[in-house]
Amino acid sequence: MSVPCWMMRLYNRLSSRAEWRRKHLQHTADMDSPTSSFYYNELNRALSEQSFGLTRYEVAKQCSPHEATAAVTLLEGTNIKVSLNTRGYQLDGGQTYESIEGLLQSISSMYGQKRDETIIARLQGL
């Protein structure tokens, strides 16, 4: 049995719209995911770049689109909470810093020492 041409065109048109709608809804759902938040990604990136001067860090999955928070353990063994939002990097609701480096330097002398050692080692490798 052959399908009429008009029915095939109608089917193709409707199925392509349904496929577009499905993809669009999936993309929108992905954008609402906490891990797609700019602040989540930026805080995760910033901490990974500074991981040489940290014992550990974990960015919370439960974040808003406008803020991300991480639990950080310094080389001294101190546990802190760092947030990133439109104002910058913030330490447990306290002072705000423009960079994660500035925040870490202000609270961890071992971070500064480790950063200096890392820079010297990289320069010697050139």
Side-chain angles (χ1 to χ4, degrees), residues 61-118:
K61 300 285 185 210
Q62 312 301 1
C63 62
S64 78
H66 308 292
E67 183 174 45
T69 304
V72 178
T73 304
L74 303 174
L75 293 174
E76 292 89 347
T78 308
N79 294 315
I80 61 169
K81 179 180 152 191
V82 176
S83 298
L84 174 63
N85 56 38
T86 56
R87 293 178 303 217
Y89 295 90
Q90 195 169 30
L91 180 62
D92 264 337
Q95 188 173 355
T96 301
Y97 298 84
E98 288 184 20
S99 69
I100 193 68
E101 295 90 350
L103 184 150
L104 293 171
Q105 280 181 302
S106 72
I107 61 171
S108 174
S109 60
M110 290 181 76
Y111 166 80
Q113 292 170 355
K114 190 68 169 176
R115 187 198 67 231
D116 293 346
E117 290 171 10
T118 303

Side-chain angles (χ1 to χ4, degrees), residues 3-12:
V3 177
C5 203
W6 66 269
M7 191 177 283
M8 205 52 172
R9 276 187 260 140
L10 179 62
Y11 172 79
N12 288 338

